[in-house]
Amino acid sequence: MNKEQYARLLKDIRDTHKQEDDVSAHIANYKDRFKYIYIYNDSIFKLLFGAPENESVTIDFFNAILERTGSDCIDNLTYTTTTKEEASSRHQQLERISIEIQHEDNKPYCDPLILHSIKHQVTNKYYGDSLWTQDFSHIELLLFDNFTNSKNYRHCEFFEHEEKQYSNLKQSLIFIEISKFLKNNYAYDQSHLAQWIRFIDSINNESPIETLKNSVFSQLEEKAKLCNFTKDFLVSEATKISIFPS
């Protein structure tokens, strides 16, 4: 289901719950109509990509976004919270990765992104520790067009001296304009990241692209089935939202 259909599902569940009607029957009706849940919902995304049991899926997604190949690939994760992960490469160089979904272009990005970097700098730092920092990548999945003057949908920014005499390559901000990619097709782009964006979109549109059995894509497809999400979870999601989009 898409974003609007998922919002309608939660709204109907909330209204049914408030009226003390049969929520289970209501959810069953949606499960008859839709096979998959909306992946880009914040809570759903955290469940699918922030759970240790889905580590192989998350690693593959991160490597696609970060354009890691060969010995530079991330090969394991240590989950520190539901929104941030610590990743290890085969060189055993510890780095931190955070990821967020931005649904609407209705708030500034500069301050939150700077805050992410500062929080990373001070995490696990104590008085007397070395001032050297770990590598840090913050990923923003944008569901709207942000860099309207650029034809690219992937953007990577580093902290850089204004005269380009120095760049801190340890700190990177990566923006993925998902809506731009989907609107402009990018048929020529067969990168792994492009495959990921197309596959998630196919799930959200109830028409999953055929994939190899036991691949990371088939694993995500199985996890994203609406039947996997319990009544308690859906009711909890519905009742914690006070305002739904029209």
Side-chain angles (χ1 to χ4, degrees):
M1 62 177 63
N2 61 32
K3 178 182 178 181
E4 291 74 23
Q5 291 164 338
Y6 185 62
R8 173 57 61 182
L9 164 63
L10 294 184
K11 183 178 185 302
D12 289 348
I13 290 174
R14 185 195 64 178
D15 293 345
T16 303
H17 182 73
K18 288 175 63 176
Q19 296 166 7
E20 299 184 352
D21 289 339
D22 190 347
V23 175
S24 296
H26 196 77
I27 293 174
N29 179 53
Y30 270 88
K31 289 183 177 180
D32 287 339
R33 295 166 53 199
F34 299 101
K35 189 173 182 179
Y36 302 99
I37 205 157
Y38 178 60
I39 291 179
Y40 288 129
N41 170 269
D42 290 332
S43 296
I44 300 302
F45 191 87
K46 289 174 184 177
L47 281 177
L48 295 177
F49 290 92
E53 59 266 28
N54 298 336
E55 181 181 28
S56 60
V57 174
T58 307
I59 287 174
D60 196 84
F61 188 54
F62 280 171
N63 282 328
I65 293 175
L66 299 174
E67 297 185 337
R68 302 286 180 86
T69 59
S71 61
D72 289 330
C73 282
I74 295 166
D75 57 13
N76 67 84
L77 298 173
T78 301
Y79 297 83
T80 56
T81 72
T82 57
T83 56
K84 292 185 293 184
E85 294 78 28
E86 289 183 355
S88 298
S89 71
R90 291 189 176 90
H91 298 301
Q92 298 304 308
Q93 296 172 323
L94 194 65
E95 63 180 295
R96 294 178 69 85
I97 300 171
S98 64
I99 185 167
E100 286 188 348
I101 302 174
Q102 299 292 345
H103 297 272
E104 297 179 3
D105 186 12
N106 59 4
K107 58 183 178 181
Y109 288 96
C110 184
D111 289 350
L113 293 179
I114 291 174
L115 177 61
H116 273 294
S117 178
I118 293 173
K119 287 170 64 178
H120 161 67
Q121 299 283 0
V122 300
T123 298
N124 297 325
K125 290 291 182 184
Y126 298 94
Y127 182 77
D129 279 357
S130 167
L131 295 180
W132 292 105
T133 60
Q134 299 167 321
D135 291 353
F136 171 65
S137 298
H138 177 69
I139 301 165
E140 292 274 328
L141 303 181
L142 306 180
L143 298 178
F144 54 89
D145 293 359
N146 190 61
F147 301 91
T148 55
N149 293 326
S150 172
K151 294 182 179 180
N152 297 323
Y153 65 90
R154 182 188 184 275
H155 310 267
C156 184
E157 299 182 4
F158 299 98
F159 294 92
E160 188 172 55
H161 184 272
E162 63 180 349
E163 296 177 2
K164 301 186 184 301
Q165 295 182 19
Y166 171 79
S167 294
N168 182 358
L169 300 182
K170 285 186 173 185
Q171 312 289 309
S172 62
L173 306 175
I174 300 170
F175 302 87
I176 309 298
E177 295 182 282
I178 293 170
S179 61
K180 178 187 286 185
F181 179 91
L182 296 176
K183 285 189 296 184
N184 292 283
N185 189 15
Y186 291 90
Y188 64 87
D189 189 342
Q190 297 301 314
S191 66
H192 199 45
L193 175 57
Q195 294 175 37
W196 261 108
I197 297 175
R198 292 187 186 106
F199 184 76
I200 292 177
D201 186 60
S202 74
I203 294 292
N204 288 336
N205 285 292
E206 295 283 320
S207 56
I209 298 170
E210 186 174 350
T211 61
L212 295 176
K213 186 177 180 180
N214 297 324
S215 68
V216 290
F217 295 126
S218 67
Q219 293 175 46
L220 178 64
E221 179 182 350
E222 185 63 33
K223 296 286 186 179
K225 289 182 177 178
L226 185 56
C227 62
N228 293 330
F229 296 87
T230 66
K231 169 189 170 183
D232 289 343
F233 171 81
L234 293 172
V235 169
S236 174
E237 287 298 294
T239 53
K240 73 182 183 183
I241 299 174
S242 58
I243 300 176
F244 287 88
S246 56

